Amino acid sequence: MIAIVDYGMGNLHSVSKAIERLGGEAVVTSDRDVLAQAPALLLPGVGAFGDAMDALRLTGLDQTIIELARGGKPLLGICLGMQLLFEHSEEHGLHEGLGLLPGKVVRFQEGAYKVPHMGWNQCSWKQPHHLLVEGMDEGYVYFVHSYHVLPGEQKDLIATCDYANQQVTAIVARDQIYGMQFHPEKSGELGLQLLKRFIDVAASVKQAAS
C-alpha cells in the first residue's frame, strides 16, 4: 500500500488512480498512524513551496515525514513534493524545506524561453544502472514548473532533461528517498513504468523487513 500524504496541496486523485491502475493499493491520508503503518509514502504537491511547508508544519506532518523517511520508509516526492525534500527554496523569499536531501530550489534564469517549463521533455539517465530506472529506455515525460532543484551532491542525480540549454533535475534518489520533478501519472508509458518501479521498490523493502 502507498500512503499519499494529504496536506491540502496536491493532485491526489490522479496519482491514486494511477497507482490503482498499476495494481497497487493507495490511500489518501493525513493520519500519522496510517502513514507510519504504510509500507511507503508518496508526497505530491502543486502550488508554492512556502505555502506547502506551512501546511505541513501546521499539521505536524513535516516531522512525521522526516522521521519515517530517515527511518528507512520509501518516500517518493512528485513535482513540488520533490522540491520539498530539499533544504530550502528561493520561491518568493527563502523557505526551509524538509531537509532530507542536500540542495536548493531556484527559479529558472531569465531568458528567451517560456516560464513555467510546461510540456513534454526527454529524460536522460545520469545513472542508468540505478534500480529506479535500470533496464528502461530514456523517453519523454510531462513537466509543469517554474522552479527547479540544484542538488547539493551529484550522486543524488538520477535523471535530467534539457530546457533552453539548461540541465534540469528530473529524478533524484538517495537510499529510500526518491523524487520526480515531472508528473509520472501524466507522463504516458514511461511515467507509469517509473511509478510502478517505485511500487515494486516499496514492496521489496516491506518483504525484506517482514
Side-chain angles (χ1 to χ4, degrees):
M1 180 181 73
I2 308 296
I4 302 172
V5 182
D6 182 5
Y7 62 105
M9 298 181 67
N11 197 354
L12 307 176
H13 180 75
S14 63
V15 174
S16 176
K17 290 302 181 184
I19 291 172
E20 292 173 0
R21 285 200 304 271
L22 291 167
E25 181 183 356
V27 58
V28 176
T29 184
S30 59
D31 188 301
R32 293 174 185 79
D33 292 335
V34 175
L35 295 172
Q37 293 167 11
L41 307 179
L42 191 150
L43 181 63
V46 175
F49 189 103
D51 292 342
M53 285 304 305
D54 286 346
L56 289 171
R57 292 191 185 101
L58 184 65
T59 57
L61 287 172
D62 59 331
Q63 290 305 312
T64 298
I65 294 168
I66 290 169
E67 291 167 8
L68 294 175
R70 288 180 175 167
K73 188 181 293 291
L75 167 65
L76 171 62
I78 291 177
C79 195
L80 174 61
M82 183 188 94
Q83 296 179 5
L84 297 174
L85 302 177
F86 288 83
E87 293 170 306
H88 63 266
S89 170
E90 298 177 0
E91 183 176 1
H92 307 306
L94 189 64
H95 304 276
E96 290 188 6
L98 296 171
L100 292 167
L101 295 173
K104 62 182 179 179
V105 181
V106 301
R107 185 173 173 82
F108 281 107
Q109 299 173 7
E110 296 298 326
Y113 52 87
K114 293 182 180 180
V115 177
H117 169 210
M118 182 168 63
W120 295 84
N121 207 324
Q122 181 165 340
C123 260
S124 298
W125 307 150
K126 305 305 264 187
Q127 297 188 47
H129 299 298
H130 188 277
L131 60 84
L132 195 63
V133 301
E134 187 173 17
M136 294 184 191
D137 293 333
E138 297 176 347
Y140 284 80
V141 292
Y142 187 77
F143 293 85
V144 182
H145 62 125
S146 299
Y147 290 77
H148 63 105
V149 170
L150 299 179
E153 298 187 20
Q154 290 298 301
K155 66 180 182 180
D156 298 332
L157 189 59
I158 307 303
T160 63
C161 74
D162 180 81
Y163 184 60
N165 297 317
Q166 299 177 69
Q167 178 178 277
V168 178
T169 299
I171 301 176
V172 294
R174 175 182 289 201
D175 300 324
Q176 300 301 331
I177 300 171
Y178 307 90
M180 300 178 189
Q181 178 63 68
F182 51 90
H183 288 273
E185 77 281 8
K186 298 179 180 179
S187 295
E189 183 178 352
L190 178 56
L192 292 177
Q193 285 179 352
L194 289 164
L195 193 55
K196 180 63 164 61
R197 185 65 60 86
F198 174 72
I199 295 171
D200 293 344
V201 167
S204 67
V205 171
K206 179 183 178 182
Q207 185 176 14
S210 62

